Structures are given as C-alpha cells and as structure tokens.
Amino acid sequence: MQDYTVLLGILLALLLGLAGGKAWERYKLQEGRWVDRRKIRQSPHFILGLNHLVSGQVDLAIEDLEKAARLDPGALELRLVLGNLYREKGQVGRAIHEHQSLLQRPRLSKLEHANIQLCLGLDYRRGGFVDRAAAAFAEVLKLDPNSEAALANLEKLQEDQHQWQEAYVTRQRLAQLAGPPDQPKSQSILAFLENEIGLQALKEGRLDDAARRFEAAIEADGTIVTAFIHLGEVRMRQGDVLAAVSTWERAIDVAPDRAYLALDRLERAYKEMQAPGRFAELCRKLIAASPREWRARLALARHLGEQGRPHDALELLLEGLEHNPHALAIHQAIWNTLSVMDLPRPLVARYIEVTRQSVFYLDPHVCIRCRYRSTELLWQCPHCHEWNTFVEERISPATDQEAEIPAAVT
Ligand SMILES: [Zn+2]
C-alpha cells in the first residue's frame, strides 16, 4: 500500500512537471501578466496577414499583422517583420523607428540583437544612409561573424561606392563561408571585382598593375570576356600589338557569342600589323561557326564597304537581315550601302522583299504581366489569360517611372 502511494506521488509529480512545462511553453510572463504565446499564431489576423504577404498585398498584410501583434506586444519576430514591411512600402523612417525601438528592449539574446541590427542596416541602405548601413552590418558581424546576409549586403554597399578592394575582401569571406557548392559563383564575382580594380589602375595610368589584375581576373574565371578586352587594351598601350591581338583572339575563343566586343579593336590592330586580310578571315570563320551571327556579318560588311566593295557588303547584310530582321543596325547599314550605290531600284526592291518575308513582329505588342509578345493588340493574353495587359512595345532607355516594363530581352 505504502509503495503504491509513493509511486502515485512520483507519477503525479511527473505529470505536474509536464503540465508546468507545457504551460511555460505556451504562456509567457510579460510585464506582470501571462500571455498566451499560441494566441498570435492562432489569430485569424496572423493567417490572413501571411496570405496577403504571399499574394503580394503589402498594405493588407501590414493591417492584419499589426492587429495580430497587438495580442502580444512582446512578440519580437512579428515586430521585426512589420518593420521590414514598412521599409518595403518605402516608409523608411517608420521602419527605422520600429527597429530602433526593438533594440531598446532588455534581455535581448545575441542572435536577436544581430537580427535587429541586420534589419536596421537594410533600412539605412534603403534610405541611402550608406555609412550608418555599413556600421549596422559591421555590428551584425561583430555579434555573428558568420552572417552571410550581413556580408552580402556589405558587399553590395561597397560595390555601390566603387570600393572594389573592400568588396573583394568581403566576397572572399563569403566564399569561405559558403564552401564548395558556391565556389563557381564566387569565383566569377571575384573575377569581376579584379577586373574593376584593374580598370581603376588603368584609369590612373598604372599599366603593369592593371595588367596583373586583368590576368588575375582571367585566372579566377576564364570566361570573363571584359577582362580579356581590357588586358588587350593595356597591351596595346604598352605598344605590344601582337600581345593585344592574341589576347583579343583568346576572348573570341572563350566566348564566340561576344566576339563583337573584340572585332573593332582587332580590325584596327590587324591594319596596324599590315595584315587586314586577317579580319575578313576571322569574320568568315565566325559566320561559318554560327549562321545566325549577324554582328560579324555587319562588321565584315563595313570592312568591305570601306574597301570599295558595296555589292559584297550588301549581300552579307541581306543575309544578316534574314536571320535578325529586328536589328536596327543592319537596316541602317543597308540604307547606307544602298545610298553609296545610288539606290539601284532592283536592289531596293530586294531589300523590301526580304524585309516583308522576315520581319515577324511588324507592330510589336507585349503583355506587361508575363511578357508574351504578339504582333497585334490583344485584349486577353493567350499565355497568362489576363485581360487588358497589352501595350505597344517601345525600346527606350529605362526611367524610374517606367520600371514596370523591363528593357526588352531578345
Ligand atoms: Zn500575359
């Protein structure tokens, strides 16, 4: 009997302990009153707020999440998120105020402190307070040296200010943290940063420094065409035409689709080497390798035009036009060539005929929702099924107001 009582007592104590633990998990003592932690997550406003967030309705999300936050004024994460939403809406001052007031809370854990500083840094960055943003991210890194978010933001800040050397160091730290899976991406960014440091040296006339940087960029990522182009420039300025030519030819081997970046430069260099025939040869090689290559055709046509061979030039241009009827540069070159030849009627007629056959989007329209293209104005998009989303496609330099249609990608 005695044994039973003891056993029962132990069991009861265990149950009480469990219940106490559960209650502790569920309730939290806050400013003298017990708050139900589950309340927020079970509140319809919390769920609705998340739904609005998912569907991109920031205003409604803020409204509901604010109501949910009132259930537990101490809920740190929710206030953090609300601050971030204010920032996304462009209310940077309000976001800063929200996040700063969170910093005043007593007994913040190290991680909570770091999270708030990170959000504050994002607020400052958005508001254009560069120094304060950098200080906030540095503070995060003091609290949490492995914060990839802080490093990535710091890197962008440094890039914005053209602090290429600092950005390079930051990217190295990021690469170390991310480990092998992220290596190719980091190598490529490091190569672009090397290239920028090289450009700085080039601007200041430090040719040897510049060359070293461009070479390092190529070593980090052998597909960065711009580093080859600049290295060639340095070689040219150092008076080494042969080295310049071989560097630019390597650029074309590495990325034949970007060959046009090197073509003008090579044309001038071959001329200097008294070997202009090499340019035509190179263009023909590029055209043979990629039948749609119109820039090489255009470059060769100009070259032939200058040599007094407009007929050959026109043939090349018409060929290029069939493959790329929307390249305005080809149309211009054709008209140039035709006027040099005094507009012979049969050739003008041929141009018009080729144009009629190959121009697909005579009057291009584009869906602003999914970017589906059509040659006429449509009222419902056949791709995303949205109504009244078509606008005339105009290609012009982007302005802030017109940011809704990104520059055309073709
Ligand atoms: Zn659409």
Side-chain angles (χ1 to χ4, degrees), residues 231-279:
L231 183 58
E233 289 291 346
V234 174
R235 296 299 177 227
M236 208 63 180
R237 279 172 64 171
Q238 288 173 329
D240 193 343
V241 185
L242 285 183
V245 163
S246 94
T247 308
W248 287 328
E249 285 175 346
R250 264 169 76 206
I252 293 180
D253 287 340
V254 163
D257 53 326
R258 298 280 164 84
Y260 59 92
L261 293 173
L263 281 182
D264 286 356
R265 293 174 166 93
L266 278 169
E267 188 179 9
R268 281 195 301 272
Y270 288 144
K271 211 183 260 173
E272 232 181 285
M273 288 166 62
Q274 315 285 338
R278 271 176 76 175
F279 184 68

Side-chain angles (χ1 to χ4, degrees), residues 367 369-372 381 383-386 389-390:
C367 168
R369 186 130 185 268
C370 70
R371 297 199 53 76
Y372 181 89
C381 176
H383 185 249
C384 70
H385 306 287
E386 202 56 48
T389 52
F390 276 84

Side-chain angles (χ1 to χ4, degrees), residues 111-125:
L111 202 66
E112 285 171 334
H113 195 163
N115 280 338
I116 301 171
Q117 280 289 359
L118 181 67
C119 294
L120 206 49
L122 294 172
D123 299 339
Y124 289 140
R125 191 180 160 202

Side-chain angles (χ1 to χ4, degrees), residues 12-27:
L12 202 69
L14 245 169
L15 273 173
L16 276 174
L18 266 175
K22 274 274 167 220
W24 182 249
E25 194 183 287
R26 182 169 161 183
Y27 298 96

